[in-house]
Amino acid sequence: MPDARDVQVHLLPQLVPNGALAGSVAVAVDVLRATTTVIHALAAGCDCVRPCLEVEEARELADRMRAGRVILGGERGGAPLPGFDLGNSPGEYTPKVCRGTTLVLTTTNGTRAMLKAAEADRALVAGFVNYSAVCEQLRTDPLPIQIVCAGTEGEVSLEDTLLAGALVDVLAEVVEIQLNDAARMAWDCFENHGQMLQGALELSLGGSKLRSLGYDEDIRAAAQVDQYALVPELRRDPLRVEVGAVGIVKSHWQR
Amino acid sequence: MPDARDVQVHLLPQLVPNGALAGSVAVAVDVLRATTTVIHALAAGCDCVRPCLEVEEARELADRMRAGRVILGGERGGAPLPGFDLGNSPGEYTPKVCRGTTLVLTTTNGTRAMLKAAEADRALVAGFVNYSAVCEQLRTDPLPIQIVCAGTEGEVSLEDTLLAGALVDVLAEVVEIQLNDAARMAWDCFENHGQMLQGALELSLGGSKLRSLGYDEDIRAAAQVDQYALVPELRRDPLRVEVGAVGIVKSHWQR
């Protein structure tokens, strides 16, 4: 087999072996809801997103920026934070609110996945809402691929694994790939749950929690495959997420 | 739904949330090779197995026991240990060697899963080689079920997830169950890989490592579904694994 391409999935940020991301293109996945929200925010006109691990770090960063040019957003335990402008619902990030601003974002799981992905040479941000655009970036990038799932409060999550598997499924069609066991399991997950995407998101741990908090609309928003054609990409100094490639040549969704 | 039964899968021992096993029946799974080897050793006549986390701990325990009545077995990195009587290949544990002895066993992954499972009210040891016997114990035990996969050196492993999914598959037919996301993923894994069990074990991370070390025979041994009808069970004071229930009423393997 001529140079099979490495495609590895990590079901949680803490399961990425030390140094594994060096020399690769990483993909951060937190379908419910952080990466979906980042895509929405950039599509709605935010200049960039600054992911922060801690609530206080996010507050301080936003305080240092010019009022009116910054949105402080995020959640803990799914709920909005006191004094924050917005929560972590994709639908809150409208053009009216977002245009020309920097979003400072801190969430329970997703920001961790994005910051872990930043250890790679190149790091992209994926949701179902920009699925085919991400597929095309991965297809044309020659680097090994490392998909970093956020999970839910330290537990592996069906919704992130499902998107990881959907990415594996497309890559398997276009290049020779070499998978780790988690990538095979993610692919299995997509094979079985991909045809009922919204149902799968609803019954997942993250989805159940959102429904119990009344965020059913966020699940529907996360399941809008290919709503956007942009791929958020991490930039450095300072670490931030901006719009990278834009465009979908063809839809890769095959369920 | 009347009292759906909790069936949770943990893809690695370190992913078991603190306290999650209290009040449950746990199942330790390390298909390649520790739990398969324990089943072989007990079937071959070992009185009990004493799982030890560390090599030195195993040596010291064996030293304290009467020569001729103890077997010191195990591996690190797949390879046998200097001064040990046996490695971690199921086929080494023959009646001639095992009858009437205590096996002191230390392995890279499997002993960790067994010792984690010991936090539960009841803990069983499963492989494909005693699959249906384990299914019957789980079916008739009213406690919530927690399946603890060993994984391979800190990474989730296809072979353990596959057996976890095979257990979920049977439980789903006989009782109302409530799954965590990892259990759903394991079930997906079984749906897709269960029909080619030996092939799946060969391509898994653990299987690839064993093949590179020349242990192909151990993979074939681990794939012998229902070779044995006994269920090893953890006992306390001192912590050890002995033959628990014996018997298979019907085969539950449906691939």
Side-chain angles (χ1 to χ4, degrees):
Chain A
M1 179 185 317
D3 283 349
R5 198 154 164 221
D6 252 325
V7 179
Q8 305 213 328
V9 171
H10 308 285
L11 299 176
L12 291 169
Q14 61 264 41
L15 293 180
V16 179
N18 282 335
L21 303 190
S24 75
V25 51
V27 185
V29 172
D30 184 18
V31 169
L32 295 173
R33 300 169 282 173
T35 58
T36 301
T37 296
V38 165
I39 299 158
H40 268 252
L42 291 174
C46 279
D47 292 333
C48 74
V49 179
R50 300 281 299 269
C52 295
L53 266 189
E54 305 298 338
V55 173
E56 269 319 298
E57 178 193 352
R59 276 193 221 278
E60 285 167 22
L61 178 58
D63 282 348
R64 290 202 302 274
M65 302 176 79
R66 190 152 66 84
R69 301 275 298 168
V70 61
I71 300 169
L72 182 56
E75 52 74 27
R76 279 300 176 276
L81 289 156
F84 273 48
D85 301 308
L86 296 177
N88 191 24
S89 293
E92 294 178 276
Y93 292 80
T94 59
K96 189 174 170 195
V97 177
C98 291
R99 194 165 295 130
T101 64
T102 291
L103 167 60
V104 175
L105 184 70
T106 181
T107 71
T108 314
N109 312 295
T111 43
R112 197 171 302 275
M114 286 188 267
L115 293 170
K116 173 54 79 174
E119 295 175 11
D121 287 18
R122 184 182 179 206
L124 312 178
V125 173
F128 287 104
V129 296
N130 71 343
Y131 171 68
S132 293
V134 171
C135 288
E136 290 182 5
Q137 288 305 302
L138 294 178
R139 190 171 56 79
T140 53
D141 190 315
L143 294 176
I145 296 167
Q146 303 274 350
I147 302 171
V148 181
C149 298
T152 300
E153 293 173 20
E155 296 198 44
V156 302
S157 71
L158 190 72
E159 69 275 16
D160 296 337
T161 309
L162 188 47
L163 176 52
L167 294 171
V168 170
D169 188 61
V170 161
L171 293 164
E173 289 202 353
V174 295
V175 289
E176 287 289 352
I177 55 176
Q178 183 159 323
L179 303 176
N180 68 347
D181 284 11
R184 289 183 208 285
M185 290 159 50
W187 199 2
D188 293 340
C189 180
F190 175 66
E191 287 286 333
N192 275 19
H193 282 102
Q195 275 169 314
M196 43 173 189
L197 177 58
Q198 186 170 321
L201 299 195
E202 282 169 3
L203 62 72
S204 70
L205 175 61
S208 310
K209 286 192 177 179
L210 287 178
R211 287 163 68 204
S212 73
L213 293 166
Y215 290 118
D216 301 63
E217 182 53 44
D218 293 7
I219 300 174
R220 282 190 287 276
Q224 301 304 309
V225 176
D226 289 344
Q227 182 179 2
Y228 298 113
L230 67 88
V231 180
E233 185 159 350
L234 261 80
R235 312 285 183 203
R236 290 163 215 283
D237 304 316
L239 195 70
R240 64 200 188 279
V241 182
E242 293 182 358
V243 175
V246 177
I248 296 175
V249 176
K250 62 168 279 205
S251 170
H252 293 279
W253 186 253
Q254 297 190 2
R255 292 288 122 175
Chain B
M1 178 185 317
D3 283 349
R5 196 150 165 224
D6 252 324
V7 179
Q8 305 213 328
V9 171
H10 308 284
L11 299 175
L12 291 170
Q14 62 264 41
L15 293 180
V16 179
N18 282 336
L21 303 190
S24 75
V25 51
V27 185
V29 172
D30 184 18
V31 169
L32 295 173
R33 300 169 282 172
T35 58
T36 302
T37 295
V38 165
I39 298 159
H40 268 252
L42 291 175
C46 279
D47 291 334
C48 74
V49 179
R50 300 280 299 268
C52 295
L53 266 189
E54 304 299 337
V55 173
E56 270 320 298
E57 178 193 353
R59 275 192 222 279
E60 286 167 21
L61 178 58
D63 282 347
R64 289 201 303 274
M65 301 175 80
R66 190 152 66 83
R69 300 276 297 169
V70 62
I71 301 170
L72 182 56
E75 52 74 28
R76 279 300 177 275
L81 289 156
F84 273 48
D85 302 307
L86 296 177
N88 191 24
S89 292
E92 295 178 274
Y93 292 80
T94 60
K96 189 174 171 195
V97 176
C98 290
R99 195 163 295 130
T101 64
T102 290
L103 167 61
V104 176
L105 183 71
T106 180
T107 71
T108 314
N109 312 295
T111 43
R112 198 170 302 275
M114 286 187 268
L115 292 171
K116 174 53 79 174
E119 295 176 11
D121 286 18
R122 185 183 178 204
L124 312 178
V125 173
F128 286 105
V129 297
N130 70 344
Y131 171 69
S132 294
V134 171
C135 288
E136 290 182 5
Q137 287 305 304
L138 293 178
R139 190 172 55 80
T140 53
D141 190 315
L143 294 176
I145 296 167
Q146 303 274 349
I147 301 172
V148 181
C149 298
T152 300
E153 294 172 20
E155 296 198 44
V156 302
S157 71
L158 192 70
E159 70 273 17
D160 296 337
T161 309
L162 188 46
L163 176 52
L167 294 171
V168 170
D169 188 62
V170 161
L171 293 164
E173 288 201 354
V174 293
V175 288
E176 287 290 352
I177 55 176
Q178 183 160 323
L179 304 174
N180 68 348
D181 284 11
R184 289 182 208 286
M185 291 158 51
W187 198 2
D188 292 342
C189 180
F190 175 66
E191 288 285 333
N192 275 18
H193 283 100
Q195 275 169 315
M196 42 172 191
L197 177 59
Q198 188 169 321
L201 299 195
E202 282 169 2
L203 63 73
S204 70
L205 175 62
S208 311
K209 287 192 175 177
L210 288 177
R211 287 163 67 203
S212 73
L213 294 166
Y215 290 118
D216 301 62
E217 183 52 46
D218 293 6
I219 301 174
R220 281 189 289 276
Q224 301 304 309
V225 176
D226 289 344
Q227 182 179 1
Y228 298 113
L230 66 88
V231 180
E233 184 158 351
L234 262 79
R235 311 283 183 204
R236 291 163 214 283
D237 304 315
L239 195 70
R240 63 199 188 279
V241 182
E242 293 182 357
V243 175
V246 178
I248 296 177
V249 176
K250 63 168 277 204
S251 169
H252 294 279
W253 186 253
Q254 297 191 1
R255 294 287 123 177

